[in-house]
Amino acid sequence: MRTMSERHLQLVMPDELSIEVLVSRLHQSMRFSESGPVTLKRTYYDSFDWRLYAHGGVLEAESGNGAIDLLWRALDSGELYNRQPVDTLPRFAWDLPCGPLRKALEPVLEMRVLLPVAWVRSTVRTLHVLNKDEKTVARVLVEENVPLAPGGMATGRHLPRVRVLPVKGYPKYLQQLRQLLESDLGLPPANEDLMLVALGALGRQPADYSSKINVPLDPAMRAHTATKTILRHLLQTLKANEAGVRADLDSECLHDFRVAVRRTRSALAQIRDVFPAEALERFRPAFAWLGDITGPTRDFDVYLLNFDQYKRSLPAAFRDHLDPLRGFLHAHQKKAHLALVAQLDSPRYREVIADWRAFLQDPADAPAGLRNAGRPALVVAGEQIWRVYGHALKQGRAIGAQTPAEALHELRKTCKKLRYLMEFFRSLYPAAEIHRLVKALKTLQDNLGEIQDLQVQMRSLRQISRQMADEVAVDTLMAMGMLVDVLATRQRRARAAFRKRFAKFAAAENRDLFKALFAQSPAQQASRS
Amino acid sequence: MTILASYNIKGGVGKTTAAVNLAYLAAREGAQTLVWDLDPQGAASYYYRIKPKVKGGSKALVRGKRQLEALIKGTDYDNLDLVPADFSYRHMDLVLDNTKKPTRRLRKLLAPLADEYDYIFLDCAPSISLVTENIFQAADALLIPTIPSRLSLRTLRQIMDFCERSGLSGLKLLPFFSMVDRRKKMHRSMVEEPPEELPAMLSTSIPYASEVERMGVARAALASFAGRSHAALAFEALWQEIKARLV
């Protein structure tokens, strides 16, 4: 463990202190050699959904003189974890050369692309503090920083900073520098990482996007209004991902787009009697269409994401024979994506979104005669969740070892509806309890999802192998056949695990909690104990 | 964490030069790298401008009174740290002999650093002793700089026999020709056609070069002050070859 005294120090240069005065004060008390000044461009990267920030890290690309260094450090303390020179900027973590930085970033970023989020131009003078062997025992970086706009224009004010980078094993010098800079010269600490300051200069907040639903609702709010609030939030998520879907930045933009579509469809179908039938007739087919046009691309994305795992699941001698499949998937993903973009460019898409937005922004009350529209959100939410929950229990209990796969698929769909409802109205319930129930549901959903996804993958692999039959070697077809076999084994295993997972979900303690949170009347409470 | 020991029974064959330069290259690629200077002469420490002194000497370290972590010093290079040498290392054999499981002590001392470093280079003193056995137990691979001469090859054979007898089948042996003087006929012929009874020598050899000697004046890794020199490029090629062999 590194001791606190070895942590690096980041200070702000006050306006009244000039760099020359600072350097001459340092000269009076220690020996150092100087390098620079060099001008660097610092670009900060994160994924669309801010995974690095959420992980508490900052990824900075420092470029100047043709060389690029990637720096990975702690957001709060500024402690440097890794410095890695690269020839080109990676798009994904897997583009990085094998090494510690890749090892650190891969599990955090997974399949997400790195996007530039903020820029700073820095002019840096480095003072290498030396001992009597001319060994560097600490470094003082005196920096002029200017936040930049995306085009490279300076934006925001200059940020002069002093950074002290200790060298491991020489704590004495750090203490001496601390005394001089903090106490004698009175330099205040820099509380925020430069990344946050640069982001602020662009008027942006970190973590301004999340794929999770977080809609604060008031229990007394009318259900009609609450549902519109939820749907507005989903439209925002959908629109936030649209550019990423068009550009095919990474697989998750489309995934989040599709989830927003599915949640919207679920809300329209499951939160009953809050909207007039005329509106439902208009919008339910529109969102079904959005689900349809995005499906093929997503399917190919999933196979491509799974490809390495597919390969690893085969005996070593057969793995390379699977490679033509990757080429096939890539080509078809590209084609499907082009078709999708054409749909997003169509007048129909524009009309659907405009129409939907107008509907959600319409402040008028729901027309009379809708049973739930005017009732409190809390009451309606409880009723709907309780209804779908009962449905899930009934379907699950009817599933035995011989039940056809379709029944599991139906249960999966019901569980999704239940999950979405619970997430929409999450803010109305005690956080710990709802969290526990969502977690219990998720464990069951993971199992059901695996069974169904494997089913779909096996079916598609068969179709694809027929399409590829004339173009590839027999070995490739054999490898694909083996893969189907591997998937079938996995599916059998998942299916065998279902009973236990369901029993856990349907256990008395969860039933009691579902009842306590969502059942409305004593009569209902008695019905499912 | 991969532990690489730069080792030979013979002295003056380029062990320290190899450890210092290869570690520099590993660190430059972004790997967290540590060099442990186990040679009481402290040449590696000298090259990195770090005092060859360890508080409490080898006794405190071997007996577990002092953690290796507390002795680490940062070098002038990013990602590269050093545990300095100490003159007391010359008695390390005796201290080790008084501990339980004396041949595994070093391995135990290094274990806590597994999460912090990707590569640890051990720069070993020339000898064959209890310390050597410890090094063999701890290391994943031995880098064995070998001068292309009959006598050196005989020494290499001895090291291989020793490893075999000690049952160290998991230890990779990576010998390479070092201090190769192209003006000498003997060197040329042996590098071009190494004797068949020897295990695959790495194909890169390190030339005898004045830049290598200048390291002692510059007190720095070769690539940092003579990056385009033959010797520096040879170390780069050697490092790539070593990495490929470690996979």
Side-chain angles (χ1 to χ4, degrees):
Chain A
M1 291 294 289
R2 261 158 229 196
T3 53
M4 278 306 285
S5 65
E6 288 197 27
R7 286 265 169 84
H8 103 214
L9 198 61
Q10 226 184 133
L11 305 163
V12 174
M13 279 274 282
D15 291 338
E16 61 276 14
L17 185 68
S18 77
I19 292 178
E20 303 320 318
V21 171
L22 176 89
V23 172
S24 81
R25 274 302 301 270
L26 284 167
H27 259 306
Q28 286 167 16
S29 44
M30 37 189 48
R31 262 158 37 81
F32 54 81
S33 70
E34 204 180 325
S35 63
V38 286
T39 300
L40 303 167
K41 188 172 174 189
R42 292 170 162 158
T43 309
Y44 298 94
Y45 286 86
D46 210 328
S47 65
F48 186 72
D49 56 354
W50 298 90
R51 291 184 181 201
L52 301 182
Y53 174 80
H55 188 74
V58 175
L59 183 65
E60 179 183 288
E62 204 180 76
S63 52
N65 305 326
I68 309 171
D69 273 355
L70 286 176
L71 286 82
W72 171 233
R73 63 169 177 262
L75 178 66
D76 52 0
S77 68
E79 188 193 357
L80 187 67
Y81 302 134
N82 288 109
R83 187 186 188 99
Q84 164 109 47
V86 289
D87 296 330
T88 50
L89 285 166
R91 289 191 65 225
F92 294 93
W94 57 68
D95 294 335
L96 283 164
C98 285
L101 182 62
R102 178 165 162 183
K103 228 194 288 177
L105 295 186
E106 262 195 307
V108 183
L109 283 172
E110 296 180 293
M111 70 300 269
R112 297 238 63 165
V113 74
L114 284 165
L115 301 169
V117 293
W119 301 263
V120 170
R121 189 174 54 233
S122 305
T123 308
V124 183
R125 277 166 80 170
T126 305
L127 316 178
H128 307 263
V129 179
L130 303 172
N131 68 6
K132 59 181 186 303
D133 291 320
E134 305 283 303
K135 157 100 180 73
T136 303
V137 287
R139 291 183 182 84
V140 181
L141 275 56
V142 186
E143 304 183 347
E144 271 291 337
N145 302 300
V146 190
L148 305 177
M153 291 283 287
T155 173
R157 54 188 212 94
H158 287 226
L159 302 159
R161 285 195 170 188
V162 177
R163 283 208 243 198
V164 180
L165 310 180
V167 172
K168 209 170 186 180
Y170 299 92
K172 199 176 75 186
Y173 294 89
L174 181 66
Q175 279 158 24
Q176 217 178 317
L177 283 162
R178 206 178 249 277
Q179 169 71 32
L180 187 73
L181 296 168
E182 285 184 324
S183 310
D184 301 354
L185 289 168
L187 267 56
N191 293 322
E192 273 190 324
D193 194 282
L194 213 47
M195 185 270 279
L196 295 176
V197 182
L199 209 57
L202 298 174
R204 253 192 109 171
Q205 290 284 320
D208 56 7
Y209 171 84
S210 162
S211 62
K212 293 206 172 74
I213 304 186
N214 177 18
V215 196
L217 299 172
D218 179 345
M221 207 178 214
R222 291 144 53 89
H224 175 79
T225 320
T227 309
K228 277 198 173 179
T229 309
I230 292 161
L231 289 167
R232 270 199 300 272
H233 175 90
L234 293 172
L235 176 59
Q236 230 173 43
T237 307
L238 184 144
K239 287 299 284 180
N241 282 290
E242 199 186 284
V245 171
R246 280 176 198 277
D248 197 12
L249 281 182
D250 61 28
S251 58
E252 300 315 284
C253 291
L254 179 60
H255 180 57
D256 285 2
F257 184 97
R258 275 173 62 76
V259 172
V261 167
R262 220 160 38 224
R263 282 173 170 157
T264 302
R265 294 177 67 188
S266 202
L268 289 175
Q270 301 306 321
I271 310 174
R272 295 184 174 169
D273 293 318
V274 290
F275 295 137
E278 168 275 318
L280 295 179
E281 275 159 29
R282 217 163 72 224
F283 294 118
R284 286 183 65 179
F287 278 91
W289 173 69
L290 287 179
D292 289 344
I293 61 170
T294 49
T297 313
R298 174 63 191 166
D299 287 345
F300 288 116
D301 280 346
V302 170
Y303 303 135
L304 284 166
L305 286 173
N306 285 340
F307 192 83
D308 287 330
Q309 191 206 337
Y310 285 166
K311 233 176 133 166
R312 277 197 307 273
S313 69
L314 296 185
F318 290 86
R319 285 178 194 164
D320 288 345
H321 293 309
L322 211 54
D323 287 340
L325 174 62
R326 196 203 297 261
F328 178 94
L329 293 170
H330 261 302
H332 282 72
Q333 194 272 356
K334 273 217 165 78
K335 231 168 108 185
H337 177 253
L338 277 177
L340 165 60
V341 173
Q343 298 282 19
L344 295 181
D345 287 338
S346 70
R348 182 173 179 193
Y349 177 75
R350 275 198 303 279
E351 280 160 25
V352 164
I353 297 296
D355 197 12
W356 181 234
R357 175 168 285 147
F359 172 75
L360 293 180
Q361 283 171 351
D362 183 0
D365 260 346
L370 289 165
R371 191 178 101 87
N372 286 334
R375 298 170 71 211
L378 181 66
V379 177
V380 175
E383 274 175 13
Q384 306 303 322
I385 292 171
W386 185 244
R387 174 177 57 77
V388 179
Y389 170 64
H391 204 44
L393 280 187
K394 201 171 145 199
Q395 284 179 325
R397 282 173 180 153
I399 292 173
Q402 303 306 321
T403 312
E406 289 76 43
L408 283 120
H409 184 41
E410 287 307 312
L411 174 60
R412 184 193 187 197
K413 290 199 283 189
T414 308
C415 286
K416 263 194 181 160
K417 292 171 193 163
L418 178 60
R419 170 85 172 269
Y420 292 158
L421 282 172
M422 288 165 73
E423 287 173 344
F424 294 156
F425 296 109
R426 180 170 207 142
S427 66
L428 301 177
Y429 298 94
E433 269 100 340
I434 196 106
H435 176 76
R436 210 186 95 191
L437 292 181
V438 167
K439 217 172 123 190
L441 178 57
K442 189 179 176 296
T443 317
L444 175 61
Q445 281 186 294
D446 288 346
N447 174 256
L448 290 167
E450 194 183 4
I451 296 170
Q452 177 63 18
D453 290 347
L454 289 167
Q455 182 80 24
V456 172
Q457 287 172 36
M458 283 188 285
R459 200 167 51 219
S460 303
L461 277 170
R462 274 211 208 107
Q463 276 169 9
I464 291 172
S465 65
R466 275 186 220 115
Q467 281 174 269
M468 291 173 77
D470 297 333
E471 302 161 30
V472 294
V474 177
D475 287 334
T476 297
L477 296 175
M478 271 182 60
M480 286 169 72
M482 291 168 84
L483 181 57
V484 171
D485 196 49
V486 169
L487 300 183
T489 311
R490 269 179 53 199
Q491 199 203 24
R492 272 195 300 279
R493 219 175 291 146
R495 172 86 200 239
F498 167 76
R499 279 252 57 89
K500 243 190 182 159
R501 296 274 187 107
F502 180 78
K504 221 169 166 187
F505 168 71
E509 51 179 22
N510 286 337
R511 285 205 314 272
D512 291 345
L513 192 52
F514 263 106
K515 194 195 298 174
L517 290 193
F518 308 115
Q520 309 288 319
S521 64
Q524 281 185 337
Q525 293 207 358
S527 70
R528 268 175 220 126
S529 45
Chain B
M1 178 177 72
T2 304
I3 301 176
L4 300 164
S6 185
Y7 173 76
N8 201 319
I9 305 174
K10 277 170 69 69
V13 297
K15 284 187 304 290
T16 301
T17 319
V20 165
N21 287 305
L22 294 171
Y24 172 86
L25 295 171
R28 198 177 64 178
E29 287 176 352
Q32 297 298 318
T33 307
L34 178 73
V35 176
W36 187 357
D37 187 355
L38 280 161
D39 188 338
Q41 294 176 62
S45 307
Y46 177 82
Y47 283 138
Y48 290 133
R49 299 169 187 257
I50 293 169
K51 263 196 214 86
K53 176 134 192 64
V54 164
K55 267 188 202 153
S58 54
K59 211 182 265 183
L61 191 57
V62 169
R63 292 187 178 161
K65 290 214 171 102
R66 199 163 276 281
Q67 295 282 310
L68 201 52
E69 169 81 44
L71 308 176
I72 296 172
K73 302 273 181 192
T75 68
D76 285 4
Y77 311 113
D78 283 329
N79 305 330
L80 184 56
D81 294 340
L82 176 96
V83 177
D86 191 88
F87 199 52
S88 69
Y89 284 177
R90 69 195 189 282
H91 299 310
M92 201 186 261
D93 261 20
L94 297 173
V95 189
L96 282 166
D97 212 9
N98 287 325
T99 59
K100 278 188 220 163
K101 295 196 183 160
T103 60
R104 292 177 176 249
R105 201 60 217 160
L106 229 58
R107 192 158 125 169
K108 208 171 162 192
L109 286 171
L110 288 167
L113 299 178
D115 285 341
E116 295 219 20
Y117 292 99
D118 302 293
Y119 293 106
I120 296 183
F121 286 82
L122 305 175
D123 184 26
C124 313
S127 74
I128 192 145
S129 65
L130 196 51
V131 180
T132 319
E133 282 190 68
N134 261 276
I135 287 161
F136 289 5
Q137 287 285 352
D140 297 291
L142 289 191
L143 308 173
I144 313 170
T146 302
I147 295 174
S149 72
R150 286 279 150 209
L151 195 62
S152 293
L153 292 179
R154 194 176 151 266
T155 313
L156 183 53
R157 186 80 254 171
Q158 287 174 329
I159 298 171
M160 286 160 51
D161 289 346
F162 180 84
C163 290
E164 209 165 293
R165 275 202 314 277
S166 315
L168 294 158
S169 53
L171 181 65
K172 283 198 176 112
L173 301 184
L174 304 176
F176 59 93
F177 285 121
S178 167
M179 303 178 86
V180 176
D181 190 344
R182 286 265 158 199
R183 289 164 305 184
K184 292 182 180 159
K185 194 173 164 225
M186 166 82 133
H187 280 203
R188 274 201 319 270
S189 71
M190 205 168 279
V191 168
E192 276 151 27
E193 267 181 78
E196 277 177 13
E197 75 270 19
L198 281 170
M201 297 288 280
L202 295 173
S203 64
T204 313
S205 53
I206 303 298
Y208 180 84
S210 57
E211 298 88 44
V212 177
E213 291 184 344
R214 267 173 47 216
M215 279 176 64
V217 181
R219 297 185 73 177
L222 205 47
S224 73
F225 69 92
R228 307 309 303 163
S229 66
H230 279 303
L233 295 175
F235 274 116
E236 277 186 37
L238 183 66
W239 176 235
Q240 296 309 325
E241 207 184 343
I242 290 168
K243 277 195 300 180
R245 285 282 200 99
L246 289 173
V247 177

